[in-house]
Amino acid sequence: MPFMPLHQALEVARYYPHARVLMHSGEATLSVPAGGLDSQLQQLCSHHRVRANAELAAFARLGNRVEWCRLDDYLLEAAAELIANNRGKYGSHQGIDWMQRIFDGQKKSSVINTAVAAVAKRGEQILGVTIFYRFGETLHARYYGSNYQIDDNDFRYFVLNYYYSLDYAAKNGIREYRLSISALSTTAVRPIVA
């Protein structure tokens, strides 16, 4: 059967006694080209290269910029709200307090020291954030958040998670980039009916 969201796969499994739900990886891995984004764009077909450049241009035309930041308390507070916005948009009810507790736990365990954030700003307003964790030569994209009150199709998700992150990775000696899907309910699964 085709890939489907987890809740649908579980429903199929309930109605067919011999069905099994197998989790498929929701993580994409990319080898970081030495030349960063420019090198990656050169590897794409013309259609995808034109689209990526148009998205980057739209992001800049609206007055946006990307800053790479360590996670201080101010940024963690803003990030918790933006991440909760994003999770809420896709059905999570855990909210800002839950995300702040996650960050508090990461502070206690010192995992937060491996983190860096790509922050999309317009003026001094934070529009979006992606939080990455570095382990050795691997960069993991873990949390994305956005201010959906400013929804002007500026492609901030792609700019933060795909485009600018490749340049950051290449400049910082990172060889592998992993894009994780954090919400289990959006991870593709494949039910097997025996």
Side-chain angles (χ1 to χ4, degrees), residues 126-146:
I126 297 175
L127 302 179
V129 63
T130 298
I131 297 178
F132 301 86
Y133 297 85
R134 181 178 182 163
F135 298 101
E137 294 180 338
T138 303
L139 186 67
H140 299 262
R142 180 61 182 100
Y143 300 106
Y144 171 76
S146 185

Side-chain angles (χ1 to χ4, degrees), residues 54-76:
E55 291 171 353
L56 286 161
F59 181 82
R61 187 173 47 255
L62 289 165
N64 299 331
R65 69 184 186 284
V66 175
E67 293 180 6
W68 289 90
C69 308
R70 289 284 169 202
L71 295 169
D72 60 17
D73 287 338
Y74 170 77
L75 184 55
L76 285 172

Side-chain angles (χ1 to χ4, degrees), residues 45-97:
C45 71
S46 175
H47 170 75
H48 291 116
R49 188 171 44 253
V50 167
R51 186 178 71 193
N53 283 323
E55 291 171 353
L56 286 161
F59 181 82
R61 187 173 47 255
L62 289 165
N64 299 331
R65 69 184 186 284
V66 175
E67 293 180 6
W68 289 90
C69 308
R70 289 284 169 202
L71 295 169
D72 60 17
D73 287 338
Y74 170 77
L75 184 55
L76 285 172
E77 184 177 327
E81 180 178 351
L82 295 173
I83 293 165
N85 286 346
N86 189 64
R87 292 175 60 82
K89 180 177 179 179
Y90 295 101
S92 172
H93 303 291
Q94 293 164 319
I96 296 170
D97 292 340

Side-chain angles (χ1 to χ4, degrees), residues 8-21 191-193:
Q8 290 173 336
L10 292 173
E11 186 174 345
V12 168
R14 269 196 307 273
Y15 292 105
Y16 294 93
H18 299 292
R20 299 292 179 264
V21 175
I192 304 296
V193 178

Side-chain angles (χ1 to χ4, degrees), residues 20-177:
R20 299 292 179 264
V21 175
L22 299 178
M23 294 297 293
H24 184 275
S25 173
E27 184 175 276
T29 301
L30 177 67
S31 294
V32 176
L37 177 60
D38 286 339
S39 293
Q40 186 68 26
L41 289 176
Q42 290 173 8
Q43 296 175 32
L44 299 177
C45 71
S46 175
H47 170 75
H48 291 116
R49 188 171 44 253
V50 167
R51 186 178 71 193
N53 283 323
E55 291 171 353
L56 286 161
F59 181 82
R61 187 173 47 255
L62 289 165
N64 299 331
R65 69 184 186 284
V66 175
E67 293 180 6
W68 289 90
C69 308
R70 289 284 169 202
L71 295 169
D72 60 17
D73 287 338
Y74 170 77
L75 184 55
L76 285 172
E77 184 177 327
E81 180 178 351
L82 295 173
I83 293 165
N85 286 346
N86 189 64
R87 292 175 60 82
K89 180 177 179 179
Y90 295 101
S92 172
H93 303 291
Q94 293 164 319
I96 296 170
D97 292 340
W98 178 81
M99 196 67 232
Q100 287 172 332
R101 286 193 307 275
I102 295 292
F103 288 145
D104 287 343
Q106 291 181 8
K107 285 181 194 177
K108 289 177 185 172
S109 70
S110 298
V111 167
I112 205 83
N113 297 334
T114 68
V116 64
V119 182
K121 286 187 170 183
R122 187 174 301 164
E124 291 306 309
Q125 185 173 19
I126 297 175
L127 302 179
V129 63
T130 298
I131 297 178
F132 301 86
Y133 297 85
R134 181 178 182 163
F135 298 101
E137 294 180 338
T138 303
L139 186 67
H140 299 262
R142 180 61 182 100
Y143 300 106
Y144 171 76
S146 185
N147 177 345
Y148 292 109
Q149 293 176 354
I150 300 174
D151 191 15
D152 51 16
N153 202 21
D154 62 3
F155 302 99
R156 68 186 79 139
Y157 175 83
F158 297 103
V159 168
L160 294 176
N161 289 287
Y162 300 102
Y163 304 141
Y164 278 60
S165 57
L166 283 176
D167 280 338
Y168 175 86
K171 289 175 186 171
N172 287 280
I174 295 165
R175 296 182 189 267
E176 184 177 72
Y177 178 48

